[in-house]
């Protein structure tokens, strides 16, 4: 196989009007951004609002390991597979963050023959959506500083401003800074910092908003800090939401590109998957559901984090009813879950695989707990043996679900036709989706519910001050929000080394944060880094342009 | 007259392929960004490189006052006027900075019936060029921090890092900051700050680069700081130039839009007019000269600053030969130069006007000193009287040049046909352009040359340390660079209150900065703010979206 970037570059692309026409988007609804990307016009989105919805398929995964499980690749492959078996299909995935590309090799959108193109644009500025989020977020920061500077009429406590700034760059030196030095003309010194743009609450607002009006409402609800009496101060009180919405007006229109097999692909939004919900935008998903019969989307990390947030935050907020879920697993990753060391993954080890299947089994049961039928997609690797595959298929069968061998990485959509057929079969069944907990449950109880029923922990340990904070937010009217748990993605527990399906563990709550604009309460149960650094030899040193002006070193 | 924004919105726009075809750009060379903006493909720019050049017309102005002189409006009007008299014309202007729009009312591109459209996009994200500059600039900053963090193999003196960060936002709290707090994982504390993006040396590099290869060379030359022995450390040594060029690859392709009379308008680049050269991009100007017979462009501030930098930095660097210059004057602004108070400008005052004409006279003589023929454009206001106009025309005639009454603000190109005819007449004469000083003159002598011959100062006062710094740069091989003087735009002198054509003043050099990448030495002779703040009641508070999704409050 050629490298991903060469496959992507060599793939002949169809004109965007032709790709859009596959799902009934007229050329007049396309706003071109370069030759291979289009945004979908707001007026068209409004016009299709009354239409019936197609079936929503979530692609999630077992607990991730460095061995990789191929969630985006499977999302793309399944979309192409559905197209190949004659279904009107679309995929919905997240946009890539710019900054991390200059640290490690850039993330592609899928891999092998299951990719979304154009790859360079998608890993660089794309349609500028991240830049728009950065600008809107930092405008609010500037307006907060300006409000303090000109007399602080809102009585905001400068020590309790919690709105930081964002930049789409890996820059550890900006994590913890003091601003406002240099005298009166520059304001007063204040300790603050920068997060990476994907971690912005503005990004989460953009991804959960139904339309422009809803976006402005969400932005207005953002709590930027508190007064001395601890009452919240909002973005709306600073009169910033309108200007922020202006900066985000174009960014809210979903981006359309294509897979290398020309299936329409919405690539829109890119929130963090720990301190935010980690799913592509509601507006793209809802549009796709009105245009295609099958919409394939994914959620970040393993199903314990990604699928749970997809169901309890995104589906709850947007009224989405997922029809089926695909849990991606690889033989290699399951062997790691069963205790095999990275160096030994090439060797057959059915026993380790069988032990590791406990991880898969728990994700299957958890996902079914939401009333969503499940199929396991085995993302094939060359080193997989027949005995291993058979053991995995057998394990799934004992859980009452099919595990389908998929070869979309090597073969494109043709390698995912079996998966596509099983997805269609499942999605035709009666829908039974329900979120994990009701809105009216207490915030702490919601955290417990996720910890006990999804992570299978015995208890949530939290200091009184954290419980008090949650109670205060309930008293302030934020009690109906869902919770967004930030913890390691490498284990069901909070210990990244505990593989498989651990029991007998407890979850310690370290911090809680209110994202009133996005519409959730973040429960932090681990070390969460919201501003990455660059490695010793960053990819940026090797990234450049060839004499012909082509990008090299980015992939 | 309707407000500018309503005129702009009501103006029927021609499809971009039709606008481009007016100057022979085929549709295949257009890269669409939305429906009303296109970038010009790099391959097409390469293909037209061998073509002969059209005539380059600079629009500059008298010393500006709050009364306004209408330089961009005249640039647009003249372009439309040239089109109307049958010439193949194009205009080249700068892109607007995003941040300041949220402080004061947004700057439009021209005004009245002499505007460039679409106005909203141009005052918001446009094609993302500023965001690309921000990203490239801050990537270099992150790589500097990262280099220090991982052992500092280049022996960069952390106290002598002069590369700051940029953001396209008015945020005074970021002027002076300390980064790297919070312990070892975040680096070491260091005092630094943010400038606004337009002040970035990366922006100046983008605007002076001939092509992508030249851009990468310029980026590599940027001096980011010094070692303990004071030797310079460059961007190339940090291996950052390639990745920065990748981020700027699309941004370097010029943007094409149209005037409301459908004259092709290149809007590309937006460097500061004090610590940088303040002109739109070389790449757009050179492309326009190969496509149109007359290319109208402008330079920031009055002719003492803007035209001087245009001639001595942009034209010198790019080998451009300006064929004529238009000096924009208004009766109101000349009366202010003659001593009239703002409140009294509506009253006829021929005597004040005549006194103020000394300012115009000096700009005429200065501009002619570069070997460029001059016409004065009188940008008509309703309050102008016949006697005032007559006195101004008479004054210009005594200087041996025509002053042409222009009504493009009210009438569009029809109001600038007389000006267009005079420009054509002047531009047909034999060219005689020469920069003010030769490359090989010493850096301090170059500053003296500008101060004495353009500002008419008696002397340049500078402490020995500044002269030593200039001598060090000469020894390091930077002696052939032109100088870029940053001083108040409100007077020929360094005192903004001295109107007219002051004599007997001296210029005090406060600071010098090396912009080795852009290719000039900045001589700071006044208070220069590179990060603006927001006013007490920022425009952002009034900016928002109507129910129909239209932007309001921005203009």
């Amino acid at each position: 196989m050629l490298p991903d970037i060469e496959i992507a570059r060599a793939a002949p692309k169809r004109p965007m009007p032709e790709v859009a026409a596959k799902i009934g988007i007229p050329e007049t609804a396309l706003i071109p951004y370069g030759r291979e990307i289009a945004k979908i016009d707001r007026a068209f989105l409004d016009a299709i609002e009354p239409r019936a919805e197609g079936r929503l398929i979530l692609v999630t995964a077992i607990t991730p390991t460095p061995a990789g499980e191929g969630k985006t690749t499977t999302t793309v492959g399944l979309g192409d597979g559905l197209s190949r078996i004659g279904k009107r299909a679309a995929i919905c995935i997240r946009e890539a963050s710019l900054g991390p590309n200059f640290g490690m090799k850039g993330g592609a959108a899928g891999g092998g023959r299951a990719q979304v193109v154009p790859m360079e644009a998608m890993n660089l500025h794309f349609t500028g959506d991240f830049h728009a989020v950065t600008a809107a977020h930092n405008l609010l920061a500037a307006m907060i500083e300006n409000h303090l500077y000109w007399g602080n009429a809102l009585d905001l406590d400068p020590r309790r401003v919690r709105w930081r700034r964002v930049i789409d760059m890996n820059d550890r030196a900006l994590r913890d800074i003091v601003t406002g030095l240099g005298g009166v003309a520059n304001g007063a010194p204040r300790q603050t910092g920068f997060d990476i743009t994907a971690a912005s609450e503005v990004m989460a607002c953009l991804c959960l908003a139904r339309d422009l009006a809803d976006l402005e409402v969400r932005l207005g609800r953002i709590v930027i800090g508190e007064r001395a009496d601890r009452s919240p101060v909002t973005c709306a009180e600073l009169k910033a939401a309108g200007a922020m919405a202006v900066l985000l007006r174009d960014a809210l229109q979903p981006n359309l590109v294509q897979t290398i097999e020309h299936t329409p692909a919405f690539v829109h939004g890119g929130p963090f998957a720990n301190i935010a919900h980690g799913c592509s935008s509601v507006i793209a998903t809802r549009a796709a559901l009105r245009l295609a019969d099958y919409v394939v989307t994914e959620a970040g990390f393993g199903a314990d984090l990604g699928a749970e947030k997809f169901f309890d935050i995104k589906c709850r907020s947007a009224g989405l009813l997922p029809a089926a879920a695909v849990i991606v697993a690889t033989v290699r990753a399951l062997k790691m879950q069963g205790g095999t060391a990275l160096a030994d993954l090439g060797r057959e080890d059915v026993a380790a695989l069988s032990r590791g299947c406990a991880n898969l089994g728990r994700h299957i049961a958890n996902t079914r707990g939401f009333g969503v039928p499940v199929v396991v997609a085995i993302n094939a690797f060359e080193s997989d043996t027949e005995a291993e595959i058979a053991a995995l298929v057998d394990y799934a069968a004992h859980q009452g679900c099919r595990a389908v061998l998929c070869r979309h990485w090597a073969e494109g959509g043709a390698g995912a036709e079996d998966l596509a057929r099983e997805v269609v079969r499942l999605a035709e069944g009666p829908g039974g989706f329900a979120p994990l907990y009701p809105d009216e449950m207490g915030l702490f109880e919601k955290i417990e519910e996720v910890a006990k029923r999804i992570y299978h922990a015995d208890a949530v340990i939290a200091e009184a001050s954290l419980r008090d904070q949650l109670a205060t937010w309930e008293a302030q009217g934020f009690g109906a929000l869902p919770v967004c748990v930030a913890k390691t993605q490498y284990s069901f527990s909070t210990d990244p080394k505990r593989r498989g399906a651990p029991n007998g563990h407890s979850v310690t709550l370290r911090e809680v944060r209110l994202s009133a604009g996005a519409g959730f309460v973040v429960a932090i149960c681990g070390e969460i880094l919201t501003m990455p650094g660059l490695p010793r030899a960053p990819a940026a040193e090797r990234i450049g342009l060839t004499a012909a002006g082509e990008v090299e070193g980015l992939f």
Side-chain angles (χ1 to χ4, degrees), chain A:
Chain A
M1 286 279 284
L2 292 168
D4 288 355
I5 177 65
E6 289 184 34
I7 294 172
R9 279 187 185 149
K13 294 171 200 82
R14 299 251 170 91
M16 286 312 297
E18 196 182 312
V19 173
K22 288 187 166 194
I23 50 173
I25 305 174
E27 187 165 355
T28 51
L30 298 181
I31 306 168
Y33 274 71
R35 290 159 176 155
E36 298 166 344
I37 310 166
K39 277 189 174 281
I40 311 297
D41 190 284
R42 195 177 309 111
F44 178 73
L45 299 179
D46 291 344
I48 63 171
E49 182 62 33
R51 292 193 190 172
E53 293 194 352
R55 293 178 172 88
L56 179 59
I57 315 300
L58 173 69
V59 174
T60 181
I62 60 167
T63 300
T65 63
E69 73 294 338
K71 213 161 43 200
T72 307
T73 304
T74 302
T75 304
V76 176
L78 175 56
D80 286 338
L82 286 161
S83 295
R84 284 182 65 95
I85 65 168
K87 301 298 177 187
R88 187 159 154 145
I91 71 167
C92 289
I93 62 174
R94 283 180 290 172
E95 298 179 53
S97 193
L98 180 66
N101 285 330
F102 297 102
M104 305 297 197
K105 261 195 170 190
R113 301 214 59 80
Q115 290 189 62
V116 170
V117 287
M119 201 207 260
E120 282 101 328
M122 289 176 55
N123 281 288
L124 291 168
H125 305 291
F126 199 36
T127 55
D129 294 344
F130 273 51
H131 293 317
V133 168
T134 304
H137 185 116
N138 292 336
L139 173 62
L140 178 52
M143 289 180 77
I144 293 167
E145 300 285 5
N146 199 56
H147 186 85
L148 294 171
Y149 181 83
W150 288 106
N152 193 13
L154 291 172
D155 260 336
L156 179 60
D157 185 341
R159 303 164 307 172
R160 297 190 195 279
V161 174
R162 68 165 199 80
W163 194 252
R164 293 157 54 91
R165 289 178 182 80
V166 297
I167 186 173
D168 197 3
M169 196 59 65
N170 290 18
D171 192 347
R172 63 173 67 76
L174 291 176
R175 286 174 189 151
D176 192 346
I177 70 174
V178 169
T179 58
L181 298 172
V184 176
N186 300 349
R190 218 164 53 70
Q191 193 163 10
T192 179
F194 278 77
D195 298 320
I196 196 162
T197 299
S200 166
E201 188 177 347
V202 174
M203 179 66 88
C205 289
L206 181 88
C207 290
L208 287 168
R210 266 180 189 245
D211 55 32
L212 209 42
D214 182 32
L215 175 62
E216 190 168 334
V217 169
R218 287 174 188 270
L219 294 171
R221 280 196 316 234
I222 289 173
V223 173
I224 58 95
E226 296 171 345
R227 296 181 181 80
D229 67 4
R230 310 297 289 271
S231 63
V233 176
T234 65
C235 170
E237 290 178 88
L238 281 157
K239 300 181 195 154
M244 291 167 73
V246 165
L247 283 169
L248 295 167
R249 185 176 63 150
D250 293 339
L252 190 65
Q253 297 178 132
N255 309 300
L256 186 71
V257 290
Q258 61 190 294
T259 68
I260 58 179
E261 297 188 6
H262 319 299
T263 300
F266 291 90
V267 180
H268 195 219
F272 251 43
N274 43 40
I275 63 156
H277 60 295
C279 307
S280 65
S281 79
V282 161
I283 206 165
T285 307
R286 293 186 81 249
L289 285 168
R290 281 156 181 77
L291 295 163
D293 295 326
Y294 290 86
V295 175
V296 187
T297 191
E298 64 169 340
F301 300 150
D304 53 329
L305 290 170
E308 190 277 320
K309 287 171 188 166
F310 176 79
F311 294 140
D312 280 324
I313 300 176
K314 181 174 174 178
C315 291
R316 182 194 303 260
S317 162
L320 300 173
L321 298 171
V326 176
I327 299 180
V328 182
T330 64
V331 166
R332 292 166 62 91
L334 283 173
K335 283 192 286 190
M336 279 199 81
Q337 290 295 340
T340 306
L342 192 58
D344 297 329
L345 289 178
R347 243 178 292 160
E348 181 178 278
D349 189 344
V350 175
L353 176 103
S354 298
R355 284 193 303 275
C357 278
N359 183 274
L360 172 63
R362 186 175 281 180
H363 287 298
I364 293 172
N366 281 350
T367 305
R368 284 180 171 160
F370 287 92
V372 177
V374 171
V375 55
V376 176
I378 309 172
N379 187 14
F381 273 70
E382 278 176 25
S383 58
D384 301 349
T385 69
E386 274 183 40
E388 288 170 333
I389 300 282
L392 174 45
V393 170
D394 195 49
Y395 176 85
H398 273 91
Q399 312 301 310
C401 86
R402 279 196 62 196
V404 181
L405 189 64
C406 302
R407 301 192 183 278
H408 44 271
W409 183 82
E411 297 170 13
E417 284 185 25
D418 285 348
L419 177 66
R421 275 185 283 267
E422 175 64 5
V423 161
V424 168
R425 190 185 70 81
L426 291 176
E428 275 167 0
F433 170 72
L436 186 69
Y437 49 78
D439 291 356
E440 53 276 15
M441 186 182 273
L443 290 172
F444 186 73
E445 289 68 34
K446 286 171 181 166
I447 297 169
E448 280 189 322
E449 197 73 2
V450 174
K452 291 182 179 172
R453 286 180 53 195
I454 303 296
Y455 310 152
H456 298 246
D458 293 335
V460 175
I461 299 163
E463 286 184 18
S465 62
L466 293 174
R467 292 179 190 243
D468 289 349
Q469 177 62 79
L470 293 171
T472 302
W473 286 335
E474 285 169 356
Q476 287 170 348
F478 302 114
L481 296 180
V483 296
C484 178
V485 181
K487 72 158 192 61
T488 178
Q489 66 266 37
Y490 296 115
S491 173
F492 275 105
S493 77
T494 55
D495 175 0
K497 292 189 208 78
R498 293 195 68 183
R499 298 215 167 124
N503 284 310
H505 57 101
S506 60
V507 168
T508 303
L509 187 62
R510 296 187 175 200
E511 185 190 341
V512 288
R513 294 183 194 171
L514 176 63
S515 290
F520 47 74
V521 169
V522 183
I524 296 180
C525 307
E527 291 284 358
I528 302 298
L529 201 61
T530 50
M531 170 54 86
L534 291 172
R536 182 183 288 270
E541 293 180 354
R542 299 177 295 279
I543 292 172
L545 294 166
T546 64
E550 270 202 346
V551 179
E552 60 181 358
L554 184 56
F555 310 99

